Coordinates of all heavy atoms in Angstrom, one line a residue:
F1058 N -12.1 68.3 146.8 CA -11.3 68.6 145.7 C -12.1 68.3 144.4 O -11.6 68.5 143.3 CB -10.1 67.8 145.6 CG -9.0 68.2 146.6 CD1 -9.3 69.0 147.7 CD2 -7.7 67.8 146.5 CE1 -8.3 69.3 148.6 CE2 -6.7 68.1 147.3 CZ -7.0 68.9 148.4
G1059 N -13.2 67.8 144.5 CA -14.0 67.5 143.3 C -14.4 66.0 143.4 O -14.3 65.4 144.4
S1060 N -14.9 65.5 142.3 CA -15.4 64.1 142.3 C -14.3 63.1 142.2 O -14.5 61.9 142.5 CB -16.4 63.9 141.2 OG -15.8 64.1 140.0
R1061 N -13.1 63.5 141.7 CA -12.0 62.5 141.5 C -10.9 62.6 142.6 O -10.3 61.6 142.9 CB -11.4 62.7 140.1 CG -12.3 62.3 139.0 CD -11.6 62.4 137.7 NE -12.4 61.8 136.6 CZ -12.1 60.6 136.1 NH1 -11.1 59.8 136.6 NH2 -12.9 60.1 135.2
W1062 N -10.7 63.7 143.1 CA -9.6 63.9 144.1 C -10.1 64.0 145.5 O -11.2 64.5 145.7 CB -8.7 65.1 143.7 CG -7.9 65.0 142.5 CD1 -8.3 65.4 141.2 CD2 -6.7 64.4 142.3 NE1 -7.4 65.1 140.3 CE2 -6.3 64.5 141.0 CE3 -5.8 63.8 143.2 CZ2 -5.1 64.0 140.5 CZ3 -4.6 63.3 142.7 CH2 -4.3 63.4 141.4
G1063 N -9.3 63.5 146.4 CA -9.7 63.6 147.8 C -8.6 63.4 148.8 O -7.4 63.0 148.4
I1064 N -8.8 63.6 150.1 CA -7.8 63.3 151.1 C -8.5 62.4 152.1 O -9.7 62.5 152.4 CB -7.5 64.7 151.8 CG1 -6.7 65.6 150.9 CG2 -6.6 64.4 153.0 CD1 -6.4 66.9 151.5
E1065 N -7.7 61.4 152.6 CA -8.2 60.5 153.6 C -7.2 60.4 154.7 O -6.0 60.5 154.5 CB -8.6 59.2 153.0 CG -7.5 58.5 152.3 CD -8.0 57.2 151.6 OE1 -9.1 57.3 150.9 OE2 -7.3 56.2 151.7
S1066 N -7.7 60.1 155.9 CA -6.8 59.9 157.1 C -7.5 58.9 158.0 O -8.5 58.4 157.7 CB -6.6 61.2 157.8 OG -5.6 61.0 158.8
G1067 N -6.9 58.6 159.2 CA -7.4 57.7 160.1 C -6.4 57.2 161.1 O -5.4 57.9 161.3
L1068 N -6.6 56.1 161.7 CA -5.7 55.5 162.7 C -5.4 54.0 162.2 O -6.3 53.3 161.8 CB -6.3 55.5 164.1 CG -6.5 56.8 164.8 CD1 -7.1 56.6 166.1 CD2 -5.1 57.5 165.0
V1069 N -4.2 53.6 162.4 CA -3.8 52.3 162.0 C -3.0 51.7 163.2 O -2.1 52.2 163.7 CB -2.8 52.3 160.8 CG1 -2.4 50.9 160.4 CG2 -3.5 52.9 159.6
Y1070 N -3.5 50.5 163.6 CA -2.8 49.7 164.7 C -2.0 48.6 164.1 O -2.5 47.9 163.3 CB -3.9 49.2 165.7 CG -3.3 48.3 166.7 CD1 -2.5 48.8 167.8 CD2 -3.4 46.9 166.6 CE1 -2.0 47.9 168.7 CE2 -2.8 46.0 167.5 CZ -2.1 46.6 168.6 OH -1.5 45.7 169.5
T1071 N -0.8 48.5 164.5 CA 0.1 47.4 164.0 C 0.7 46.7 165.2 O 1.2 47.3 166.1 CB 1.2 48.0 163.1 OG1 0.6 48.8 162.1 CG2 2.1 46.9 162.5
L1072 N 0.7 45.4 165.2 CA 1.4 44.5 166.2 C 2.5 43.7 165.5 O 2.2 43.0 164.5 CB 0.4 43.6 166.9 CG 1.0 42.5 167.8 CD1 1.8 43.1 168.9 CD2 -0.1 41.6 168.3
L1073 N 3.7 43.9 165.9 CA 4.9 43.1 165.4 C 5.4 42.2 166.5 O 5.6 42.6 167.6 CB 6.0 44.0 165.0 CG 5.7 45.1 163.9 CD1 6.8 46.0 163.7 CD2 5.3 44.4 162.6
R1074 N 5.5 40.9 166.2 CA 6.0 39.9 167.2 C 7.3 39.2 166.6 O 7.4 39.0 165.4 CB 5.0 38.8 167.5 CG 3.8 39.3 168.2 CD 3.0 38.1 168.6 NE 1.8 38.6 169.3 CZ 0.7 38.0 169.4 NH1 0.6 36.8 168.8 NH2 -0.3 38.4 170.1
S1075 N 8.2 38.9 167.5 CA 9.4 38.1 167.1 C 9.9 37.3 168.2 O 9.7 37.6 169.4 CB 10.5 39.1 166.6 OG 10.9 39.9 167.7
D1076 N 10.4 36.1 167.9 CA 11.1 35.2 168.8 C 12.6 35.3 168.4 O 12.9 35.3 167.2 CB 10.6 33.8 168.7 CG 9.2 33.6 169.0 OD1 8.7 34.5 169.9 OD2 8.5 32.7 168.5
Y1077 N 13.5 35.2 169.4 CA 14.9 35.3 169.1 C 15.7 34.3 170.0 O 15.2 34.0 171.1 CB 15.4 36.7 169.2 CG 15.4 37.3 170.6 CD1 16.5 37.1 171.4 CD2 14.3 38.0 171.0 CE1 16.5 37.6 172.7 CE2 14.3 38.5 172.3 CZ 15.4 38.3 173.1 OH 15.3 38.8 174.4
K1078 N 16.8 33.9 169.4 CA 17.8 33.1 170.2 C 19.2 33.6 169.8 O 19.4 33.9 168.6 CB 17.7 31.6 169.8 CG 16.4 30.9 170.3 CD 16.4 29.4 169.9 CE 15.1 28.8 170.3 NZ 15.1 27.4 170.0
T1079 N 20.1 33.6 170.8 CA 21.4 34.0 170.5 C 22.2 32.8 169.8 O 21.7 31.7 169.9 CB 22.2 34.4 171.7 OG1 22.2 33.4 172.7 CG2 21.5 35.6 172.3
E1080 N 23.3 33.1 169.2 CA 24.0 32.0 168.5 C 24.5 30.9 169.5 O 24.5 29.8 169.2 CB 25.2 32.6 167.8 CG 24.9 33.4 166.6 CD 26.1 33.8 165.8 OE1 27.2 33.2 165.9 OE2 26.0 34.9 165.2
S1081 N 24.8 31.3 170.7 CA 25.2 30.3 171.7 C 24.1 29.5 172.4 O 24.3 28.6 173.1 CB 26.0 31.0 172.8 OG 25.2 31.9 173.5
L1082 N 22.8 29.9 172.0 CA 21.6 29.3 172.5 C 21.5 29.5 174.0 O 20.8 28.7 174.7 CB 21.5 27.9 172.1 CG 21.4 27.6 170.6 CD1 21.4 26.1 170.3 CD2 20.2 28.3 170.0
Q1083 N 22.2 30.4 174.6 CA 22.1 30.6 176.1 C 21.0 31.7 176.4 O 20.6 31.8 177.6 CB 23.4 31.1 176.6 CG 24.5 30.1 176.4 CD 25.2 29.7 177.7 OE1 25.1 30.5 178.6 NE2 26.0 28.7 177.6
R1084 N 20.6 32.4 175.4 CA 19.6 33.5 175.7 C 18.5 33.4 174.6 O 18.8 33.3 173.4 CB 20.2 34.8 175.7 CG 19.2 35.9 176.1 CD 19.9 37.2 176.3 NE 20.9 37.3 177.4 CZ 20.6 37.6 178.6 NH1 19.4 38.0 178.9 NH2 21.5 37.7 179.5
E1085 N 17.3 33.4 175.0 CA 16.2 33.4 174.1 C 15.0 34.3 174.6 O 15.0 34.6 175.8 CB 15.6 32.0 173.8 CG 15.0 31.3 174.9 CD 14.6 29.9 174.6 OE1 15.2 29.3 173.6 OE2 13.7 29.4 175.2
G1086 N 14.2 34.7 173.8 CA 13.1 35.6 174.3 C 12.1 35.9 173.2 O 12.2 35.4 172.0
K1087 N 11.2 36.8 173.5 CA 10.1 37.2 172.6 C 10.0 38.7 172.8 O 10.3 39.3 173.8 CB 8.8 36.6 173.0 CG 8.8 35.1 172.9 CD 7.4 34.5 173.3 CE 7.5 33.0 173.2 NZ 6.2 32.4 173.0
Q1088 N 9.6 39.4 171.7 CA 9.4 40.8 171.7 C 8.1 41.1 171.0 O 7.8 40.6 169.9 CB 10.5 41.5 171.1 CG 10.4 43.0 171.3 CD 11.7 43.8 170.9 OE1 12.5 43.2 170.1 NE2 11.9 45.0 171.4
E1089 N 7.3 42.0 171.5 CA 6.1 42.5 170.9 C 6.2 44.0 170.8 O 6.5 44.7 171.8 CB 4.9 42.2 171.7 CG 4.5 40.7 171.7 CD 3.2 40.4 172.4 OE1 2.7 41.3 173.0 OE2 2.8 39.3 172.3
L1090 N 5.9 44.6 169.7 CA 5.9 46.0 169.5 C 4.5 46.4 169.0 O 4.0 45.9 168.0 CB 7.0 46.4 168.4 CG 8.4 46.1 168.8 CD1 9.3 46.4 167.6 CD2 8.9 46.9 170.0
H1091 N 3.9 47.4 169.7 CA 2.6 47.9 169.4 C 2.8 49.3 168.9 O 3.3 50.2 169.6 CB 1.7 47.9 170.6 CG 1.5 46.5 171.2 ND1 0.4 45.8 171.0 CD2 2.3 45.8 172.0 CE1 0.5 44.6 171.7 NE2 1.7 44.6 172.3
Y1092 N 2.3 49.5 167.6 CA 2.4 50.8 167.0 C 1.0 51.4 166.7 O 0.1 50.7 166.4 CB 3.1 50.7 165.7 CG 4.6 50.5 165.8 CD1 5.1 49.2 165.7 CD2 5.5 51.6 166.0 CE1 6.5 49.0 165.8 CE2 6.8 51.3 166.1 CZ 7.3 50.1 166.0 OH 8.7 49.8 166.1
L1093 N 0.9 52.7 166.8 CA -0.3 53.4 166.4 C 0.2 54.4 165.3 O 1.1 55.2 165.5 CB -0.9 54.2 167.5 CG -2.3 54.8 167.3 CD1 -3.3 53.7 166.9 CD2 -2.8 55.5 168.5
G1094 N -0.4 54.3 164.1 CA -0.1 55.1 163.0 C -1.2 56.1 162.6 O -2.3 55.8 162.7
I1095 N -0.7 57.2 162.0 CA -1.6 58.2 161.5 C -1.3 58.5 160.0 O -0.3 59.1 159.8 CB -1.6 59.5 162.3 CG1 -1.8 59.2 163.8 CG2 -2.5 60.6 161.8 CD1 -1.5 60.4 164.7
P1096 N -2.1 58.0 159.1 CA -1.8 58.2 157.7 C -2.5 59.5 157.2 O -3.5 60.0 157.7 CB -2.4 57.0 157.0 CG -3.6 56.7 157.9 CD -3.1 57.0 159.3
L1097 N -1.9 60.1 156.2 CA -2.4 61.3 155.5 C -2.3 61.0 154.0 O -1.2 61.1 153.5 CB -1.8 62.6 155.9 CG -2.3 63.8 155.2 CD1 -3.8 64.0 155.5 CD2 -1.5 65.0 155.6
M1098 N -3.4 60.5 153.4 CA -3.3 60.0 152.0 C -4.0 60.9 151.1 O -5.1 61.4 151.4 CB -3.9 58.6 152.0 CG -3.5 57.7 153.1 SD -1.8 57.2 152.8 CE -2.1 55.8 151.8
G1099 N -3.5 61.1 149.9 CA -4.1 61.7 148.8 C -4.8 60.6 147.9 O -4.2 59.5 147.8
R1100 N -6.0 60.8 147.4 CA -6.7 59.8 146.7 C -7.2 60.3 145.4 O -7.6 61.4 145.2 CB -8.0 59.4 147.6 CG -8.8 58.2 146.9 CD -10.0 57.9 147.7 NE -10.9 59.1 147.6 CZ -11.7 59.5 148.5 NH1 -11.8 58.8 149.7 NH2 -12.5 60.5 148.4
F1101 N -7.1 59.4 144.4 CA -7.6 59.7 143.0 C -8.5 58.6 142.6 O -8.1 57.4 142.6 CB -6.4 59.8 142.0 CG -6.9 60.1 140.6 CD1 -7.4 61.3 140.2 CD2 -6.9 59.1 139.7 CE1 -7.9 61.5 139.0 CE2 -7.3 59.3 138.4 CZ -7.8 60.5 138.0
R1102 N -9.8 58.9 142.4 CA -10.8 57.9 141.9 C -10.8 58.0 140.4 O -11.1 59.0 139.8 CB -12.1 58.3 142.5 CG -13.2 57.2 142.3 CD -14.5 57.6 142.9 NE -14.3 58.4 144.0 CZ -15.1 58.6 145.0 NH1 -16.2 57.9 145.0 NH2 -14.9 59.4 146.0
F1103 N -10.5 56.8 139.8 CA -10.5 56.8 138.3 C -11.7 56.0 137.7 O -11.9 56.1 136.5 CB -9.2 56.2 137.8 CG -8.8 54.9 138.3 CD1 -9.2 53.7 137.6 CD2 -8.0 54.7 139.4 CE1 -8.9 52.5 138.1 CE2 -7.7 53.5 139.9 CZ -8.1 52.4 139.2
F1104 N -12.5 55.4 138.5 CA -13.7 54.7 138.0 C -14.8 54.7 139.1 O -14.4 54.3 140.2 CB -13.4 53.3 137.5 CG -14.6 52.6 136.8 CD1 -15.0 53.0 135.6 CD2 -15.2 51.6 137.5 CE1 -16.1 52.4 135.0 CE2 -16.3 51.0 136.9 CZ -16.7 51.4 135.6
N1105 N -16.0 55.1 138.8 CA -17.0 55.1 139.8 C -18.3 54.7 139.2 O -18.7 55.2 138.2 CB -17.1 56.5 140.4 CG -17.9 56.6 141.6 OD1 -18.1 55.6 142.3 ND2 -18.5 57.8 141.9
T1106 N -19.0 53.8 139.9 CA -20.4 53.4 139.6 C -21.3 53.5 140.8 O -20.8 53.9 141.9 CB -20.5 51.9 139.0 OG1 -20.2 51.0 140.1 CG2 -19.5 51.7 137.9
R1107 N -22.5 53.2 140.7 CA -23.4 53.2 141.8 C -23.0 52.2 142.9 O -23.2 52.4 144.0 CB -24.8 53.0 141.3 CG -25.9 53.6 142.3 CD -27.3 53.4 141.7 NE -27.8 52.1 142.3 CZ -28.4 51.1 141.6 NH1 -28.5 51.2 140.3 NH2 -28.8 50.1 142.2
L1108 N -22.5 51.0 142.5 CA -22.2 49.9 143.4 C -20.8 49.9 143.9 O -20.5 49.4 145.0 CB -22.5 48.6 142.7 CG -24.0 48.4 142.3 CD1 -24.1 47.1 141.6 CD2 -24.9 48.4 143.5
F1109 N -19.8 50.4 143.1 CA -18.4 50.3 143.6 C -17.6 51.4 142.8 O -18.0 52.0 141.8 CB -17.8 48.9 143.4 CG -17.8 48.5 141.9 CD1 -16.8 48.7 141.1 CD2 -18.9 47.7 141.4 CE1 -16.8 48.3 139.8 CE2 -18.9 47.3 140.1 CZ -17.9 47.6 139.3
S1110 N -16.4 51.6 143.3 CA -15.5 52.5 142.7 C -14.0 52.0 142.8 O -13.7 51.2 143.7 CB -15.6 53.9 143.3 OG -15.2 53.9 144.7
F1111 N -13.2 52.4 141.9 CA -11.8 52.1 141.9 C -11.0 53.3 142.1 O -11.3 54.4 141.5 CB -11.3 51.4 140.6 CG -11.9 50.1 140.3 CD1 -13.0 50.0 139.5 CD2 -11.4 49.0 140.9 CE1 -13.6 48.7 139.2 CE2 -11.9 47.7 140.7 CZ -13.0 47.6 139.8
Y1112 N -10.0 53.3 143.1 CA -9.2 54.4 143.4 C -7.8 54.0 143.8 O -7.6 52.9 144.1 CB -9.9 55.3 144.4 CG -10.0 54.7 145.8 CD1 -9.0 54.8 146.7 CD2 -11.1 53.9 146.1 CE1 -9.1 54.2 148.0 CE2 -11.2 53.3 147.4 CZ -10.2 53.5 148.3 OH -10.3 52.9 149.5
V1113 N -6.9 55.0 143.7 CA -5.5 54.8 144.1 C -5.3 55.9 145.2 O -5.7 57.0 145.1 CB -4.6 55.1 142.9 CG1 -3.1 55.0 143.4 CG2 -4.8 54.0 141.9
S1114 N -4.6 55.4 146.3 CA -4.3 56.4 147.3 C -2.8 56.2 147.7 O -2.3 55.1 147.7 CB -5.2 56.2 148.6 OG -5.0 55.0 149.1
A1115 N -2.1 57.3 148.1 CA -0.7 57.2 148.4 C -0.4 58.4 149.3 O -1.1 59.5 149.3 CB 0.2 57.3 147.2
G1116 N 0.5 58.2 150.2 CA 0.9 59.3 151.1 C 1.7 58.8 152.3 O 1.9 57.6 152.4
P1117 N 2.2 59.7 153.1 CA 3.0 59.3 154.3 C 2.1 58.8 155.5 O 0.9 59.1 155.6 CB 3.7 60.6 154.7 CG 2.7 61.7 154.3 CD 2.0 61.2 153.0
R1118 N 2.8 58.1 156.4 CA 2.2 57.7 157.6 C 3.2 57.8 158.7 O 4.3 57.3 158.6 CB 1.7 56.3 157.5 CG 1.0 55.7 158.8 CD 0.4 54.4 158.6 NE 1.3 53.3 158.9 CZ 1.1 52.1 158.7 NH1 0.0 51.7 158.1 NH2 1.9 51.2 159.1
M1119 N 2.8 58.4 159.8 CA 3.7 58.5 161.0 C 3.3 57.4 162.0 O 2.1 57.3 162.3 CB 3.6 59.8 161.7 CG 4.2 60.9 160.8 SD 4.1 62.5 161.7 CE 5.1 62.2 163.1
D1120 N 4.2 56.6 162.5 CA 3.9 55.5 163.4 C 4.6 55.8 164.7 O 5.8 56.3 164.8 CB 4.4 54.1 162.9 CG 3.6 53.6 161.8 OD1 2.4 53.6 161.9 OD2 4.2 53.2 160.7
F1121 N 3.9 55.6 165.8 CA 4.4 55.8 167.2 C 4.3 54.5 168.0 O 3.3 53.8 168.0 CB 3.5 56.8 167.9 CG 3.5 58.2 167.2 CD1 2.5 58.5 166.3 CD2 4.5 59.1 167.4 CE1 2.4 59.7 165.7 CE2 4.5 60.3 166.7 CZ 3.5 60.6 165.9
N1122 N 5.5 54.1 168.6 CA 5.5 52.9 169.4 C 4.8 53.2 170.7 O 5.3 54.0 171.5 CB 7.0 52.5 169.6 CG 7.1 51.2 170.4 OD1 6.2 50.8 171.1 ND2 8.2 50.5 170.2
I1123 N 3.7 52.5 171.0 CA 2.9 52.8 172.2 C 3.2 51.8 173.3 O 2.9 52.1 174.4 CB 1.4 52.9 171.9 CG1 0.9 51.6 171.2 CG2 1.1 54.1 171.0 CD1 -0.6 51.6 170.9
Y1124 N 3.7 50.6 172.9 CA 4.1 49.6 173.9 C 5.0 48.6 173.3 O 4.8 48.2 172.2 CB 2.8 49.0 174.4 CG 2.9 48.0 175.6 CD1 3.4 48.5 176.8 CD2 2.7 46.7 175.4 CE1 3.5 47.6 177.9 CE2 2.8 45.8 176.5 CZ 3.3 46.3 177.7 OH 3.4 45.4 178.7
G1125 N 6.0 48.2 174.1 CA 6.9 47.2 173.5 C 7.7 46.4 174.5 O 8.9 46.6 174.7
P1126 N 7.0 45.4 175.2 CA 7.7 44.6 176.2 C 8.6 43.6 175.5 O 8.4 43.1 174.4 CB 6.6 43.9 176.9 CG 5.5 43.7 175.8 CD 5.6 45.0 175.0
K1127 N 9.7 43.3 176.2 CA 10.7 42.4 175.7 C 10.9 41.3 176.9 O 11.2 41.7 178.0 CB 12.0 43.0 175.5 CG 13.1 42.1 174.9 CD 14.3 43.0 174.6 CE 15.4 42.1 174.1 NZ 16.7 42.9 173.8
I1128 N 10.6 40.1 176.6 CA 10.6 39.0 177.6 C 11.8 38.1 177.2 O 11.8 37.5 176.1 CB 9.3 38.2 177.6 CG1 8.1 39.2 177.8 CG2 9.4 37.1 178.6 CD1 6.8 38.6 177.4
S1129 N 12.8 38.0 178.1 CA 14.0 37.2 177.7 C 14.3 36.4 178.9 O 13.9 36.6 180.1 CB 15.1 38.1 177.3 OG 15.6 38.9 178.4
G1130 N 15.1 35.3 178.7 CA 15.5 34.4 179.7 C 16.9 33.9 179.4 O 17.4 33.9 178.3
I1131 N 17.6 33.4 180.4 CA 18.9 32.7 180.2 C 18.7 31.3 180.5 O 18.1 30.9 181.6 CB 19.9 33.4 181.2 CG1 20.1 34.8 180.9 CG2 21.3 32.6 181.0 CD1 21.0 35.6 181.9
K1132 N 19.2 30.4 179.7 CA 19.1 29.0 179.9 C 20.3 28.5 180.7 O 21.4 28.9 180.5 CB 19.1 28.2 178.5 CG 17.8 28.3 177.8 CD 17.9 27.4 176.6 CE 16.6 27.3 175.9 NZ 16.6 26.4 174.8
E1133 N 20.0 27.6 181.6 CA 21.0 26.8 182.3 C 21.6 25.8 181.3 O 21.1 25.6 180.3 CB 20.5 26.1 183.5 CG 20.0 27.0 184.6 CD 19.4 26.2 185.8 OE1 19.7 25.0 185.8 OE2 18.7 26.8 186.6
Y1134 N 22.7 25.2 181.7 CA 23.3 24.2 180.9 C 22.4 23.0 180.6 O 22.4 22.3 179.6 CB 24.6 23.7 181.4 CG 25.7 24.8 181.3 CD1 26.2 25.4 182.4 CD2 26.2 25.1 180.0 CE1 27.1 26.4 182.3 CE2 27.2 26.1 179.9 CZ 27.6 26.7 181.0 OH 28.6 27.7 180.9
S1135 N 21.4 22.8 181.6 CA 20.5 21.7 181.4 C 19.4 22.0 180.4 O 18.6 21.1 180.0 CB 19.9 21.3 182.7 OG 19.1 22.4 183.2
G1136 N 19.3 23.3 180.0 CA 18.3 23.7 179.0 C 17.1 24.2 179.6 O 16.1 24.6 178.9
R1137 N 17.0 24.3 181.0 CA 15.8 24.9 181.7 C 15.9 26.4 181.6 O 17.0 27.0 181.6 CB 15.8 24.4 183.1 CG 15.4 23.0 183.3 CD 15.2 22.7 184.8 NE 15.7 23.8 185.6 CZ 16.1 23.7 186.9 NH1 16.1 22.5 187.4 NH2 16.5 24.8 187.6
H1138 N 14.8 27.0 181.7 CA 14.7 28.5 181.8 C 14.9 28.9 183.3 O 14.5 28.2 184.2 CB 13.3 29.0 181.4 CG 13.3 29.6 180.0 ND1 14.4 29.7 179.3 CD2 12.3 30.1 179.4 CE1 14.0 30.3 178.1 NE2 12.7 30.6 178.2
I1139 N 15.6 30.0 183.5 CA 15.7 30.6 184.8 C 15.2 32.0 184.8 O 15.1 32.6 183.8 CB 17.1 30.5 185.4 CG1 18.1 31.2 184.5 CG2 17.5 29.1 185.7 CD1 19.5 31.3 185.1

């Protein structure tokens, strides 16, 4: 598009983790969600030198859940996992 405008894309990997407990504390577990994202960004470069440049990029990204195991358990009254 010229020296100031451009388009960029790529792949983005995201891992989200969480621990949870129910209000009665009888069930607890962990969850991991693995996402693969594909961004499509427009870029505007507003300052450029031989050593570095400043630019702004913005645009949409589509994320796909590629793996998401959920590990949960039920506690006995003694507090042990079963």
Side-chain angles (χ1 to χ4, degrees):
F1058 288 18
S1060 64
R1061 291 188 169 256
W1062 290 95
I1064 295 175
E1065 56 187 46
S1066 186
L1068 292 175
V1069 177
Y1070 172 77
T1071 305
L1072 171 61
L1073 301 175
R1074 289 186 181 159
S1075 64
D1076 297 332
Y1077 64 89
K1078 291 182 184 178
T1079 60
E1080 287 185 28
S1081 64
L1082 299 177
Q1083 298 231 346
R1084 186 175 294 270
E1085 64 182 27
K1087 298 179 182 201
Q1088 186 171 22
E1089 291 185 351
L1090 298 171
H1091 301 259
Y1092 287 95
L1093 190 60
I1095 304 170
L1097 181 59
M1098 311 290 272
R1100 182 185 68 213
F1101 178 73
R1102 186 178 334 204
F1103 56 89
F1104 184 75
N1105 192 24
T1106 69
R1107 202 178 96 230
L1108 298 175
F1109 59 90
S1110 64
F1111 292 100
Y1112 64 91
V1113 174
S1114 61
R1118 181 172 92 186
M1119 292 184 61
D1120 288 309
F1121 301 96
N1122 186 333
I1123 55 175
Y1124 186 64
K1127 184 177 179 181
I1128 304 162
S1129 63
I1131 300 173
K1132 284 188 173 183
E1133 294 179 14
Y1134 288 109
S1135 66
R1137 288 188 350 205
H1138 257 0
I1139 55 172

